[in-house]
Amino acid sequence: MKKTKTKIIAICGSLRFKDTMIIETERLELEGNCVLSVVYPSPNFDRNNYTPEQCVVLAEMHKMKIDLSDSIFVVNVGGYIGDSTKEDIAYAKKTGKEIIYLEEHK
């Protein structure tokens, strides 16, 4: 089996698709990529419980993951792309990253 260069891939998408994000992270890693995943809140955690400061930190760390990556992998189940993921895509485009979608994107 010929080994290609390992890609560093940042996962992006809505946490409503957390289970799919976990499955795709595993698949991408097993294919030989280094995957930078999102922070998965604990069960029954309400995102609104994060303080504004914590939200800023999480957003900054996610942008840093995009900066470190060769590409982003957008988990767009049913074609859904939320506002924060749209921002991630725009940032990735601006910084010259490859953008890979789970499902076909128009």
Side-chain angles (χ1 to χ4, degrees):
M1 179 165 101
K2 186 177 177 183
K3 177 77 172 123
T4 59
K5 179 185 177 291
T6 298
K7 280 187 188 179
I8 299 172
I9 302 172
I11 296 286
C12 298
S14 171
L15 285 175
R16 71 177 68 178
F17 306 125
K18 175 178 146 181
D19 292 343
T20 303
M21 293 171 92
I22 291 168
I23 290 166
E24 291 302 316
T25 296
E26 178 182 42
R27 180 184 66 78
L28 290 165
E29 288 254 347
L30 289 171
E31 289 178 355
N33 300 290
C34 176
V35 180
L36 305 175
S37 194
V38 299
V39 171
Y40 298 110
S42 21
N44 302 318
F45 184 81
D46 182 347
R47 181 182 180 144
N48 295 322
N49 288 341
Y50 284 129
T51 66
E53 294 81 13
Q54 289 171 323
C55 289
V56 168
V57 168
L58 290 173
E60 287 176 358
M61 294 305 102
H62 190 66
K63 291 285 189 283
M64 188 176 285
K65 290 173 188 176
I66 294 172
D67 288 339
L68 293 168
S69 72
D70 299 309
S71 57
I72 66 167
F73 186 89
V74 180
V75 178
N76 59 326
V77 175
Y80 178 81
I81 298 175
D83 291 338
S84 63
T85 305
K86 286 176 185 174
E87 290 176 18
D88 293 341
I89 293 166
Y91 184 77
K93 284 179 181 176
K94 183 176 123 183
T95 57
K97 307 298 177 176
E98 174 187 24
I99 302 168
I100 306 164
Y101 294 90
L102 172 65
E103 296 183 5
E104 188 175 329
H105 179 71
K106 298 174 186 176

